[in-house]
Amino acid sequence: MTRTLDVLPVDPRNPATLLDALEDAIAGQATYLPVPAHDRERTELLRRSQLAGQPISADVALVVATSGSTGTPKGAQLTPANLVASADATHHVLGGSGQWLLAMPAHHIAGIQVLVRSLIAGIDPLCLDVSAGFDVDKFAAAAGELAATGDRSYTSLAPMQLAKAMDTLAGIEALRAFDAVLVGGAATNPQLLRAAEDLRINVVTTYGSSETAGGCVYDGRPIPGAKVRVTGGRIHLGGPMIAAGYRNAPGHEAFAEDGWFATSDGGEISDGRLVVTGRLDAVIDTGGLKLHPEVLERELMLVDGVSHACVVGIPHPRFGQAVVAAYEGSATVSEVMENLDHLPRWQIPKDLRKVDALPLIGPGKVDRRAVAGLFQPVSD
């Protein structure tokens, strides 16, 4: 049985208006493609690439687009069972259902799942207006409103939002009020995580994607029902939250094994926990030596005065690619370079640049292509 894939515009000023549509989707009564109402270019791209208005299996509740950082966005086909399994497992891990504060765009899977969890719990969420970005004062006021109820409360943030909130006393107090703060979508600065622990902020790091109905690995361990394995250095995720393939790429090899999704990330299992080493398609090959950019990014973020960093490879006539990096923070370029002296020489950036803000694609996810565009090709 099929139905039509309907476009669902998401207003960043009032994402709570999605709740009725999401409830219909979870009940198997409609299939929606969430799109950002404020971004016409992105909306049109999603309409075309995900075949909006055309027939789709009635088993699909939502088609949630990937960030599209490597080209045309793919559309993960999520069933009601996928969404409910993820929401139920999250509440189980966190110690029970509670009221959620939505503080990120609701057309991305992380924001959608905040609303889905709220529907499953039967507790209305509190939603921030994120049309002008993440406002710490508004976040703190909303957190205080939730804390006043005395019930369990949760929120979900991107690493950059967490860092911004922790820059102010009001933000810190707000974060401490939550029973758990889920943080995912990108690697989190290890210094930030240590600071959060010292400040008694209960941060739970998450790993997952649109293809897995959101995060399915919390603090390195799979949530109930989820499965993790690493084969040939590639992370594979399994369980009831795995999407029913891609809308615009049927038969894609990532879903070749039933109930499993082969990610584009490399990793390893260490002491029973998943350690993500970085995207396999972002590996930099410089003179025959291969570097996961995330490895160097972690080293950069261990430097005092570096809050965020992005490492990319750019063309080099002799080595194939040269390692370059951009970062945010108060540290000077010379201070950062001094703190990288312990690394193998080939891993040290050939060009290091301080920027006011790294370009983003999606909530808290750095646009590596745009970062590469900041640099000129390296000559011999």
Side-chain angles (χ1 to χ4, degrees), residues 17-18 32 60 62 73 79 102 144 173 208 257 269 285 328 336 351:
T17 57
L18 299 182
Y32 292 113
V60 177
L62 298 176
T79 67
L102 175 61
E173 290 301 320
E257 185 177 357
I269 305 294
D285 188 334
E328 296 177 23
V336 176
D351 192 354

Side-chain angles (χ1 to χ4, degrees), residues 183-340:
V183 179
T188 306
N189 190 324
Q191 292 188 87
L192 192 67
L193 292 176
R194 286 198 294 270
E197 184 177 6
D198 291 342
L199 291 167
R200 302 191 307 279
I201 300 168
N202 184 24
V203 171
V204 178
T205 59
T206 70
Y207 173 70
S209 62
S210 300
E211 294 91 341
T212 62
C216 62
V217 178
Y218 285 9
D219 287 336
R221 299 187 185 278
I223 61 179
K227 295 176 283 188
V228 178
R229 71 168 189 244
V230 178
T231 304
R234 183 184 298 271
I235 298 171
H236 294 246
L237 302 173
M241 57 285 297
I242 302 301
Y246 290 125
R247 165 67 166 169
N248 55 336
H252 195 281
E253 61 183 7
F255 293 98
E257 185 177 357
D258 189 41
W260 286 86
F261 170 62
T263 75
S264 296
D265 295 321
E268 59 185 23
I269 305 294
S270 177
D271 296 327
R273 292 179 181 268
L274 175 67
V275 178
V276 182
T277 54
R279 285 188 65 89
L280 297 172
D281 55 10
V283 170
I284 301 168
D285 188 334
T286 178
L289 299 172
K290 292 180 170 54
L291 172 68
H292 280 284
E294 291 87 351
V295 172
L296 180 54
E297 287 165 4
R298 282 192 287 271
E299 292 290 341
L300 286 166
M301 288 190 292
L302 287 172
V303 177
D304 288 337
V306 174
S307 54
H308 306 289
C310 180
V311 175
V312 296
I314 62 173
H316 189 283
R318 187 155 52 95
F319 298 125
Q321 287 181 297
V323 178
V324 298
Y327 71 94
E328 296 177 23
S330 59
T332 65
V333 169
S334 59
E335 288 171 342
V336 176
M337 293 297 282
E338 287 174 7
N339 280 275
L340 300 180

